[in-house]
Amino acid sequence: MLSSEDLQFFLTVAAARSLAEAARTLNVTPPAVTQRLAGLEKRLGARLIERTGRHTALTDEGDLLVARGRRICAELGLLADDLGSRRRVIAGHLRVLAPLGFGRRYVAPAVARVRRDYPEVTATLTCSDRPGRFAEDSWDVMVHIGELRDSSLIMQRIASNRRILCAAPSYLRRHPAPVRPQDLRAHECIALRENDEDVTLWRFAGPRGDIANVRIAPVLASTEGAVVHDWAVAGMGIMVRSEWDVAADLGAGRLVALLPEWRLPDADVIALLPSREARSARTSHFLECLRAEVQAHPWSPPG
């Protein structure tokens, strides 16, 4: 009646704020999600999700399916590990959770490489602007960028990553470049809303250890990093962005680093693993592939 693919599908839908968001995560159309969900509900004879406008809420039956489905998927993964180890092969289903932009550019190729190397491994990559909303038992590896708040998870550092204040030359031709962090209050700033962080408070550390916290009033904001990036390159304002995303633009002159003597908090790329996945062969190989992917396309601080 239910397959593991059905469970993975519903867990993704349940974690999303809307069916449209679930469709983006699954890389299908919203009607396809609606149709598959309706078919699942018909087979089970129960309504799993209540639709209220653009948002969704789980029914009691939906809550039950999520709770039991997570445990079943986790057990299936452990079973695949045990069977694979007896045959000395890497097999099973790998579930990776990653930020949107970094996930597309670096994580997706690493997942594809795992699949090429080990055909008995299947994988699901979920890219989200708020990966922290997903329950721990719904993923095997979470790729995280930025401040880490949960120290109970196993952490593996993948790469260093600075945050850089920058703007396009066209913007700087219209506005004098800031000479100190406080000057940003008079500038047109662009904010990226992600990870439920306080994105309008920009924190700087000076060359002599002095601290400057600046509350900006963004003229533009988005939950999509690519949108914020494109706005800045088009000269729409000043942004704070990871060096993995802007190193090429800085090198080509499409963006200019500002306040070089002031440093923003680093946002290293790390992999988080629940303890149950610490020794999974497919997880270990994925981490090796991810490190190789990052090293093949290195970013470096502007100089």
Side-chain angles (χ1 to χ4, degrees):
M1 183 179 292
L2 274 179
S3 67
S4 59
E5 289 79 9
D6 290 328
L7 292 176
Q8 292 291 347
F9 163 77
F10 187 70
L11 291 176
T12 300
V13 171
R17 290 170 295 184
S18 66
L19 295 184
E21 180 181 302
R24 290 193 295 270
T25 300
L26 294 166
N27 196 29
V28 298
T29 64
V33 171
T34 301
Q35 183 177 5
R36 184 170 180 182
L37 177 60
L40 182 60
E41 291 177 327
K42 183 177 180 180
R43 276 187 285 142
L44 295 176
R47 194 165 185 82
L48 302 174
I49 287 182
E50 294 290 350
R51 302 156 183 82
T52 56
R54 295 184 178 180
H55 299 284
T56 59
L58 293 176
T59 63
D60 290 342
E61 291 79 5
D63 278 326
L64 177 62
L65 184 57
V66 166
R68 296 287 296 275
R70 285 171 178 165
R71 292 198 294 270
I72 291 170
C73 288
E75 285 296 325
L76 286 173
L78 293 174
L79 177 60
D81 285 338
D82 291 342
L83 293 173
S85 64
R86 292 190 177 194
R87 295 187 294 127
R88 296 186 178 181
V89 299
I90 297 179
H93 190 70
L94 174 68
R95 301 171 299 168
V96 182
L97 180 60
L100 283 169
F102 192 85
R104 284 194 298 266
R105 192 177 304 182
Y106 293 102
V107 182
V111 171
R113 180 173 170 181
V114 173
R115 172 65 183 166
R116 287 194 298 269
D117 291 347
Y118 298 99
E120 293 194 40
V121 172
T122 59
T124 299
L125 170 60
T126 301
C127 295
S128 172
D129 61 330
R130 288 181 172 84
R133 294 187 297 106
F134 289 76
E136 179 183 322
D137 57 2
S138 67
W139 47 265
D140 303 319
V141 185
M142 178 194 287
V143 180
H144 180 84
I145 299 177
E147 182 180 355
L148 180 62
R149 299 175 182 175
D150 188 345
S151 59
S152 67
L153 301 172
I154 296 173
M155 180 184 73
Q156 293 195 24
R157 186 170 175 272
I158 302 299
S160 61
N161 178 53
R162 291 175 55 199
R163 283 191 171 116
I164 298 173
L165 185 76
C166 53
S170 59
Y171 175 83
L172 297 174
R173 285 194 292 269
R174 303 192 311 271
H175 306 272
V179 296
R180 56 177 189 159
Q182 291 79 3
D183 295 342
L184 292 169
R185 296 192 182 100
H187 277 270
E188 297 175 3
C189 296
I190 307 173
L192 173 61
R193 302 192 183 280
E194 61 179 352
N195 295 331
D196 299 319
E197 295 179 3
D198 187 355
V199 298
T200 63
L201 183 65
W202 290 358
R203 298 174 291 154
F204 297 86
R208 292 180 292 275
D210 40 340
I211 302 297
N213 295 330
V214 179
R215 176 71 67 181
I216 63 161
V219 297
L220 292 169
S222 176
T223 59
E224 174 57 73
V227 171
V228 170
H229 177 276
D230 291 346
W231 281 340
V233 171
M236 301 297 292
I238 297 175
M239 72 171 176
V240 170
R241 198 73 181 107
S242 288
E243 64 177 317
W244 69 261
D245 188 44
V246 299
D249 297 289
L250 294 168
R254 291 185 294 269
L255 291 171
V256 177
L258 305 174
L259 301 178
E261 294 185 353
W262 293 83
R263 191 177 182 96
L264 289 149
D266 289 338
D268 289 349
V269 181
I270 58 176
L272 301 175
L273 299 91
S275 58
R276 68 175 187 279
E277 285 294 327
R279 290 176 292 179
S280 164
R282 62 179 177 275
T283 298
S284 297
H285 187 67
F286 164 73
L287 294 176
E288 293 174 5
C289 292
L290 182 57
R291 289 192 180 94
E293 183 66 29
V294 168
Q295 292 169 4
H297 304 280
W299 54 81
S300 60

